[in-house]
Amino acid sequence: MDSWTQYLEKLHKLVESQTEKMKELERRVGELEKKAEENQRPSTNIEKIEYNFDQLKIETLEGTLNIGLTPQNGKDFGIEDLAIEEKPFPPKLSGSQAVKDKIINDLQNYLTNQGPRDLQQIAGQYGRHYDSTYQQFILQDIQKQLDDRVSHYLEQANASNGMMDDAKIQSISQQVKQEIYESLHHFIQNQSHKGDEPGEV
């Protein structure tokens, strides 16, 4: 083998070796660029998040319209005593919302189906008669307070560790219906002492 051929062979091997080293260096540079890009991205580190719900406090619920339901052991209110009243925000009930919805639905059905008859029957006792528009006004005012009254009784049941079986649900519904009846009676009785009111026929 002549020296020229040996030289070319060595040169060829050297070029191949240099080519392999260049490829390796390019691969490493690519990896370093990738790492540098990742380090430049803003990283989000979320620490432990604690919520202290017991620190949240609502002092009052303003703008509540008192529409005249009378608790059996409470102060009498008539529909003519409509007033904005500040009340403490009721504590959240641990019972099921479905139970509350069931009772309110029953009471709304009562007001729709039986309410007008009861209203006219009580009005008749005092020689009064109301047109349908005024009847609806009275019954709608009562309907607006159903949520608060049902919550009141559910809170009482919850405080006494009462089980919410069907009998207890029915009992709460009956108590509120009795309050509605007594409030209608009280309202019409007061109106009969005051004379004619809007809606009088």
Side-chain angles (χ1 to χ4, degrees):
M1 217 187 245
D2 62 358
S3 62
W4 182 247
T5 306
Q6 286 177 344
Y7 173 75
L8 285 176
E9 219 173 87
K10 281 183 182 179
L11 189 60
H12 179 68
K13 285 182 181 177
L14 184 63
V15 169
E16 279 183 347
S17 171
Q18 293 297 321
T19 303
E20 288 297 316
K21 284 182 182 178
M22 281 182 57
K23 285 181 182 177
E24 176 64 21
L25 289 172
E26 286 175 353
R27 186 185 63 78
R28 285 185 176 182
V29 167
E31 286 177 3
L32 289 172
E33 285 176 345
K34 200 182 267 188
K35 283 182 182 178
E37 281 180 24
E38 288 174 2
N39 288 338
Q40 287 178 356
R41 289 184 195 147
S43 62
T44 305
N45 185 14
I46 300 176
E47 297 293 328
K48 181 179 177 185
I49 298 174
E50 292 183 16
Y51 293 100
N52 296 313
F53 290 109
D54 58 332
Q55 293 175 359
L56 297 176
K57 191 162 102 176
I58 297 174
E59 292 290 335
T60 59
L61 178 63
E62 296 181 357
T64 302
L65 184 63
N66 183 341
I67 59 161
L69 287 186
T70 306
Q72 291 175 348
N73 298 323
K75 179 182 173 187
D76 289 340
F77 292 98
I79 292 175
E80 71 279 357
D81 296 325
L82 296 176
I84 303 292
E85 180 176 293
E86 289 186 10
K87 294 183 180 179
F89 194 81
K92 186 173 180 181
L93 186 67
S94 61
S96 169
Q97 181 67 32
V99 171
K100 185 176 182 180
D101 291 344
K102 180 177 180 181
I103 295 170
I104 289 176
N105 188 49
D106 179 48
L107 293 170
Q108 287 173 336
N109 287 337
Y110 164 75
L111 282 174
T112 301
N113 299 321
Q114 186 64 32
R117 283 191 292 253
D118 284 351
L119 183 58
Q120 285 303 345
Q121 183 262 328
I122 295 167
Q125 293 175 12
Y126 294 96
R128 302 178 74 80
H129 180 75
Y130 301 112
D131 64 27
S132 60
T133 304
Y134 196 56
Q135 285 180 40
Q136 289 298 39
F137 169 75
I138 294 169
L139 296 174
Q140 283 172 1
D141 276 351
I142 290 174
Q143 188 170 0
K144 290 175 191 172
Q145 198 176 357
L146 291 180
D147 191 86
D148 287 342
R149 295 309 303 150
V150 172
S151 292
H152 169 76
Y153 284 112
L154 288 174
E155 287 166 19
Q156 283 184 340
N158 200 39
S160 62
N161 296 324
M163 298 299 293
M164 296 309 292
D165 57 8
D166 285 339
K168 185 65 177 172
I169 292 170
Q170 191 62 30
S171 170
I172 291 172
S173 183
Q174 285 304 117
Q175 284 176 301
V176 178
K177 286 176 187 176
Q178 184 63 33
E179 285 183 14
I180 292 170
Y181 188 84
E182 289 174 7
S183 294
L184 289 172
H185 201 281
H186 180 76
F187 170 70
I188 295 170
Q189 183 180 32
N190 283 350
Q191 271 198 339
S192 69
H193 295 304
K194 291 181 181 179
D196 290 346
E197 292 287 335
E200 178 83 6
V201 177

